[in-house]
Amino acid sequence: MSGNLSSAPQITLEVLVRLNGDYAATAVLFALLWRGAERAPVRISSRTLAGYTLLGHQVVQRALLRLEERGLIGSRKLSRATGAYTVDVVALRQLLRRPLPECDFLPGFTPIPALAQLQHVEPPAGDLSHAT
């Protein structure tokens, strides 16, 4: 990860970038982490995960497959609709240690002048330039 201590949004961006912008896989991974899948298997259906992530059911199913192919999660089928999922923290740490891909623009990392213009900035308390 960049820096010693990263915030949750920073880690989320770093995972998203390292997963090549795969928002669905990133959202599903973090939904599983939120449920404690790094500590113990989480019994959950892909439909429930779809509700948590606001993604389509099939989108979540494909994201689960991609995460498993990358070795970031393990799964065990419990029933036709439910699985037990675990997050491989070692694999996640290895993913975060990999260098960021080389490109001109990384969402969340590259400043965008147009976005900076959208933020309202309060003038300093002693600034009288707005007075007539």
Side-chain angles (χ1 to χ4, degrees), residues 1 51 96:
M1 287 181 282
L96 289 168

Side-chain angles (χ1 to χ4, degrees), residues 3-117:
N4 293 340
L5 280 177
S6 294
S7 66
Q10 182 71 27
I11 292 170
T12 304
L13 283 172
E14 291 195 24
V15 169
L16 178 61
V17 169
R18 285 178 175 89
L19 290 178
N20 300 316
D22 189 341
Y23 175 78
T26 302
V28 168
L29 178 66
F30 279 87
L32 290 171
L33 287 168
W34 181 74
R35 305 273 306 173
E38 78 284 3
R39 295 184 309 270
V42 171
R43 296 171 54 112
I44 195 166
S45 71
S46 55
R47 289 197 187 278
T48 302
L49 276 171
Y52 287 148
T53 59
L54 302 178
L55 297 169
H57 173 246
Q58 290 181 337
V59 171
V60 168
Q61 286 182 320
R62 289 190 297 266
L64 286 165
L65 289 173
R66 289 191 303 275
L67 288 168
E68 194 162 11
E69 288 169 359
R70 293 188 78 129
L72 292 169
I73 67 167
S75 71
R76 186 171 41 93
K77 203 70 162 150
L78 299 176
S79 71
R80 187 177 170 299
T82 305
Y85 300 95
T86 55
V87 173
D88 185 335
V89 177
V90 172
L92 181 56
R93 284 187 179 132
Q94 287 174 347
L95 176 73
L96 289 168
R97 283 188 196 112
R98 291 193 347 220
L100 290 170
E102 290 189 29
C103 62
D104 293 332
F105 173 76
L106 289 174
F109 292 92
T110 308
I112 304 172
L115 291 179
Q117 294 174 2

